[in-house]
Amino acid sequence: MDHVASNVPTPGIRALATEAVHAGREDLVSLGLHAAPIDLSTTYPSHDVAEEAARIDAFASTGVRLDGPPVYARLDNPTTARFETALARLEGAADAVAFASGMAALTAVLLVRASMGLRHVVAVRPLYGCSDHLLDGGLLGTEVTWTDPAGVAAAIRPDTGLVMVETPANPTLSETDVRALAHACGSVPLLVDNTFATPVLQRPVKQGARIVLHSATKYLGGHGDVMGGVVACDAEFAAALRQVRFATGGVLHPLAGYLLLRGLSTLPVRVRAASASAAELARRLAGDPRVSRVHYPAVGGAMVSFEVHGDPREVIAGVRLITPAVSLGSVDTLIQHPASISHRIVAEGDRHAAGVSDRLLRMSVGLEDVDDLWSDLSEALGAGSERSGRVGAASAAHCQAGEPQSAVR
Ligand SMILES: *Cc1c(COP(=O)(O)O)cnc(C)c1O
């Protein structure tokens, strides 16, 4: 059996690849179906008003998923529920709650904590640009203390409701030791954004994180055609999230739930194949004199970030096979310039302090042939260094003079 996640699997739990194609589909045989159905109902009929009223009361006061039909689609949806069950299983969590986007998911987590008077968040930069913005901008009344992992314990206050980290982080792919960080958090819940690694490479719950967040828009959907977010966590936190989702309405559409469940079935295969190509591209980039630094995480994955001697915008302008677009985790390869696009919303000083260089490019490697990808990238790099004149030659000499050229691990 191929237990892919780095931790030792719990006895009796099936391997990740098996869960990916079976979890959440347990009721299909009794329904006489092979593929999961899509339930697009916004409402569900009931002739028993008293019973219906009691069910609404029970849901609103506990957040615990109702047995039987959901009453109204903002409470729950059977198609979305299948995706939630499957994702929870893959993450090794008791439950999961899905939202309309990754940002809606993070918003719900912050509202759960704020509703308990815990508005202070300790967070490690870099984070995805909009997550940084949501915390830093104070839109939800959140107050944030930015620190590095070593400073987390000292930054925690009596009103700290959450510690938040991304590992590997967007866009530098810097990594944090989740086990050590969870220990430093004490009783404060640790949220790990696992969008980049996916449960195929890393299961933060097993390492002590209480909350695992995904932009399901990325690898979980995997085809660039569905937007969603999901939080994997324990039953108590999931119930609180369902109450917030019911009240605020950031629900995942059932068609998206259907596509995300389907996406999960190929997640292990996609992530492993794209990671192999990403590791190879990271190796080739590290040996290229037009590239000053390569970031590739120890945990692996399909993201590669690299800094160029020339103008990174010229590389974006030069790609032909690779799509110059924000987002990541699709079957095709995407590249973007974080300082201009994904992390534009983060103040320049904060970006630089978090290690996001203006020369950094972030590439999400897809399932194309690795040699085709390299030809395209290599030509685009050529375009970048030609147009920036002698910079390439000068920096190649600089590298020979002992400048560390690459941080590939
Ligand atoms: C994209 C992304 C998000 C936000 O998710 P949306 O689905 O775009 O709302 C959060 N975290 C990370 C790491 C991301 O890459």
Side-chain angles (χ1 to χ4, degrees):
M1 288 232 280
D2 181 15
H3 293 280
V4 180
S6 51
N7 347 77
V8 180
T10 315
I13 300 284
R14 290 173 180 169
L16 186 98
T18 307
E19 294 288 14
V21 294
H22 288 285
R25 288 89 160 170
E26 288 80 4
D27 63 335
L28 296 186
V29 171
S30 68
L31 293 171
L33 297 174
H34 179 234
I38 308 178
D39 178 352
L40 294 170
S41 302
T42 54
T43 190
Y44 296 83
S46 168
H47 288 289
D48 188 338
V49 173
E51 196 218 299
E52 184 94 327
R55 295 179 81 229
I56 295 170
D57 285 352
F59 182 82
S61 63
T62 66
V64 173
R65 185 182 265 163
L66 297 171
D67 289 331
V71 178
Y72 186 61
R74 190 155 26 75
L75 279 69
D76 204 354
N77 170 275
T79 308
T80 299
R82 283 196 185 86
F83 163 64
E84 293 174 331
T85 302
L87 190 273
R89 202 80 60 74
L90 295 185
E91 284 289 0
D95 204 350
V97 185
F99 295 88
S101 68
M103 294 317 302
L106 178 57
T107 297
V109 170
L110 295 173
L111 290 176
V112 165
R113 301 306 283 166
S115 71
M116 302 168 77
L118 304 171
R119 291 180 181 277
H120 180 241
V121 176
V122 175
V124 177
R125 272 187 172 131
L127 295 178
Y128 171 66
C130 208
S131 303
D132 188 309
H133 174 62
L134 182 63
L135 294 177
D136 212 55
L139 195 63
L140 298 173
T142 309
E143 190 195 336
V144 62
T145 301
W146 298 103
T147 182
D148 56 10
V152 164
I156 289 174
R157 315 190 310 212
D159 64 337
T160 304
L162 194 71
V163 175
M164 178 167 179
V165 70
E166 281 178 23
T167 179
N170 189 349
T172 60
L173 309 180
S174 64
E175 291 174 279
T176 299
D177 179 343
V178 173
R179 219 176 278 279
L181 187 59
H183 188 258
C185 292
S187 61
V188 179
L190 170 63
L191 181 155
V192 173
D193 186 325
N194 201 27
T195 299
F196 276 30
T198 83
V200 177
L201 301 175
Q202 159 181 290
R203 287 192 273 182
V205 167
K206 308 263 173 188
Q207 298 169 4
R210 183 164 175 207
I211 303 161
V212 175
L213 184 136
H214 281 274
S215 168
T217 313
K218 316 294 169 55
Y219 291 100
L220 306 188
H223 295 71
D225 56 5
V226 53
M227 180 153 259
V230 64
V231 179
C233 54
D234 54 69
E236 187 190 339
F237 203 85
L241 285 171
R242 286 201 171 87
Q243 285 178 297
V244 166
R245 188 177 65 178
F246 171 53
T248 60
V251 292
L252 184 73
H253 190 274
L255 180 57
Y258 170 88
L259 288 170
L260 289 173
L261 181 72
R262 190 164 80 158
L264 288 185
S265 29
T266 54
L267 181 71
V269 176
R270 284 187 284 108
V271 168
R272 279 187 220 124
S275 297
S277 296
E280 175 58 22
L281 291 175
R283 200 185 61 76
R284 294 187 194 183
L285 285 165
D288 194 300
R290 298 165 294 184
V291 172
S292 58
R293 192 167 172 209
V294 179
H295 306 250
Y296 188 69
V299 75
M303 301 298 296
V304 182
S305 294
F306 57 98
E307 292 162 38
V308 291
H309 291 298
D311 184 345
R313 288 164 300 192
E314 297 287 352
V315 180
I316 301 286
V319 288
R320 291 295 171 263
L321 174 65
I322 298 170
T323 303
V326 73
S327 198
L328 56 118
S330 188
V331 286
D332 58 322
T333 300
L334 308 178
I335 194 167
Q336 64 103 20
H337 181 225
S340 301
I341 311 288
S342 66
H343 289 68
R344 180 172 198 80
I345 202 155
V346 181
E348 191 181 20
D350 293 335
R351 252 194 343 253
H352 290 167
V356 184
S357 154
D358 289 345
R359 297 195 167 227
L360 186 77
L361 288 159
R362 190 196 74 187
M363 183 166 63
S364 165
V365 179
L367 299 177
E368 300 95 333
D369 178 84
V370 71
D371 290 324
D372 288 339
L373 288 174
W374 177 249
S375 312
D376 191 43
L377 192 57
S378 186
E379 246 173 65
L381 280 167
S385 61
E386 255 163 50
R387 270 171 248 172
S388 53
R390 291 173 42 78
V391 177
S395 50
H398 204 53
C399 290
Q400 281 161 9
E403 180 97 338
Q405 199 200 335
S406 157
V408 171
R409 282 168 293 168

